Amino acid sequence: MIALLRYQAALLVGSHRWLPPVILYAAFLAIGIQSGGPILDAFGYAAVGVLPVAVWLTRICVTNEPPAARSCTATAAGPGRAHLAGVLTAAGAGLLLGLLGTALVVLLSDPHSAHHVAVPVLPATVAGLFAVLTCLLTGLAIGALCAWPVLRVPGWGIPAGLLGSLLLLVLGGSPANAAMTGLVTGSLHGTITVPWLPAAAAALFAAAATAAACALASRRS
């Protein structure tokens, strides 16, 4: 698996297809993270941006190989393992972006709530990191379900991924929405709620979606 991860990472870096999602996330942070803004609001904003970027990165990583190269990799390592390596590579890239976004929030934001109640930085950062992880895992799940081999028609993947991202950000029952809402609500009252349960739900969702995609990859290769 380590060799597969190195291979997928080299493919991602060499293809330069990572540039658009990275630029998108950087622009998202530049617009929404203001110097001196409430720290919990900023953590929620940074986490939200990770979700569509994770969807995009997952689609890139699981479709980065030409068909002939994909067949060779699947033959050598097994189609399920090869597909899993692509999803894990996207997870690593998304996590790196999320950590950078979190660091930017810590550097620029004011450790106070929206009503100027002092907010301890370390617990707020832990809550922000869990929110990033929740949105990342949710995005990985959507990306895995909106790409080959689940969707065999490439043109359907992009609108399905966009729709899935939007729904899981606005629907009250989704892990990403729960994590974001917890931070924004906490900013109003100066309280910190670490989104343990949303993160756990997102992890189960990502694991189930990835397992289904890998199983289909084994069948359809």
Side-chain angles (χ1 to χ4, degrees), residues 36-218:
I39 190 169
L40 292 175
D41 284 339
F43 276 134
Y45 190 87
V48 165
V50 172
L51 197 156
V53 169
V55 176
W56 198 345
L57 285 170
T58 305
R59 282 185 48 80
I60 289 171
C61 289
V62 300
T63 60
N64 223 2
E65 292 178 283
R70 184 188 304 152
S71 297
C72 292
T73 306
T75 301
R81 286 167 58 85
H83 197 79
L84 177 61
V87 176
L88 292 178
T89 301
L95 181 61
L96 178 59
L97 288 179
L99 291 175
L100 291 175
T102 301
L104 183 66
V105 170
V106 173
L107 289 173
L108 295 181
S109 298
D110 180 26
H112 288 81
S113 72
H115 297 298
H116 306 291
V117 178
V119 175
V121 175
L122 183 58
T125 303
V126 172
L129 287 172
F130 269 88
V132 165
L133 182 62
T134 302
C135 290
L136 171 64
L137 291 170
T138 304
L140 289 175
I142 299 171
L145 296 175
C146 294
W148 186 90
V150 179
L151 291 182
R152 303 183 72 172
V153 180
W156 293 356
I158 294 175
L162 289 174
L163 179 61
S165 299
L166 178 62
L167 288 176
L168 289 179
L169 283 175
V170 301
L171 291 178
S174 80
N177 180 274
M180 175 190 66
T181 302
L183 288 174
V184 173
T185 303
S187 183
L188 293 175
H189 305 290
T191 58
I192 299 172
T193 302
V194 179
W196 306 103
L197 289 179
L204 291 175
F205 182 30
T210 302
C214 291
L216 279 176
S218 297

